[in-house]
């Protein structure tokens, strides 16, 4: 949803200032939601390929944000835990996300009806984007007009 994308944009900027990518925010967020127990489940929760997650986890581990351990019963399965440094970064990024959410809600209106109207409008706009924004931009649309 566009609101989520805008919120993540602000968090991404905070992550960049902290010299971390937006992927780190998504990984830390998924780990804090408690769902993913293994690296495979975490990749699914974040919406990236396992190989891509491995790359990011290696960097996060090198920076002391997470620790990966292999299960004794199945050495191919890795569990990921957030370190104190990872928790600190998560809290910083979470504050940025909450602050941006507050900014959006102040601009939209605080009552649930105003938020509902806004979200409905954004939803209709998102649905009107060809191929949900994943394919090439059709000819004549902004960003793909003849010069």
């Amino acid at each position: 949803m566009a609101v989520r994308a805008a919120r993540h944009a602000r968090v991404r900027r905070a992550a960049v200032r902290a010299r971390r990518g937006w992927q780190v925010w998504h990984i830390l967020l998924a780990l804090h939601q408690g769902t993913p127990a293994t690296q495979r489940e975490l990749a699914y929760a974040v919406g990236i390929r396992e190989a891509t997650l491995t790359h990011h986890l290696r960097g996060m581990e090198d920076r002391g944000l997470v620790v990966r351990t292999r299960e004794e019963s199945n050495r191919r399965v890795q569990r990921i835990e957030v370190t104190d440094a990872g928790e600190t970064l998560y809290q910083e990024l979470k504050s940025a996300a909450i602050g941006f959410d507050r900014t959006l809600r102040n601009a939209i209106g605080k009552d649930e009806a105003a938020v509902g109207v806004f979200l409905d409008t954004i939803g209709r706009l998102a649905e009107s984007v060809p191929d949900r924004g994943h394919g090439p931009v059709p000819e004549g649309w902004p960003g793909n007009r003849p010069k």
Side-chain angles (χ1 to χ4, degrees):
M1 184 169 291
V3 173
R4 185 181 310 154
R7 183 181 310 131
H8 288 308
R10 183 166 181 179
V11 174
R12 275 196 302 270
R13 286 192 297 275
V16 168
R17 282 194 302 274
R19 292 195 174 106
R20 308 293 185 254
W22 66 267
Q23 299 90 344
V24 171
W25 162 244
H26 286 268
I27 292 166
L28 291 173
L29 180 61
L31 289 168
H32 274 81
Q33 290 172 339
T35 308
T38 66
Q39 192 165 319
R40 174 171 283 160
E41 291 169 344
L42 180 58
Y44 180 79
V46 175
I48 58 178
R49 293 180 19 244
E50 285 184 65
T52 303
L53 177 66
T54 299
H55 166 77
H56 291 300
L57 287 175
R58 187 176 304 120
M60 291 174 72
E61 197 169 32
D62 289 348
R63 292 189 302 265
L65 302 174
V66 296
V67 174
R68 293 183 286 178
T69 56
R70 296 201 180 273
E71 280 191 357
E72 289 298 320
S73 61
N74 184 350
R75 302 293 293 161
R76 292 176 294 168
V77 176
Q78 290 193 62
R79 299 219 175 258
I80 301 100
E81 295 180 46
V82 178
T83 65
D84 289 343
E87 179 64 27
T88 299
L89 179 60
Y90 169 76
Q91 293 302 328
E92 290 172 15
L93 296 175
K94 180 181 170 186
S95 288
I98 290 170
F100 185 65
D101 185 70
R102 190 176 305 119
T103 300
L104 276 180
R105 289 181 184 276
N106 286 338
I108 296 165
K110 294 186 185 213
D111 65 271
E112 289 302 312
V115 172
V117 168
F118 176 76
L119 292 176
D120 287 344
T121 302
I122 293 296
R124 286 193 312 276
L125 288 170
E127 289 171 6
S128 73
V129 175
D131 195 23
R132 309 273 295 148
H134 297 289
V137 177
E139 202 171 307
W141 279 59
N144 191 15
R145 291 197 173 124
K147 296 178 181 183

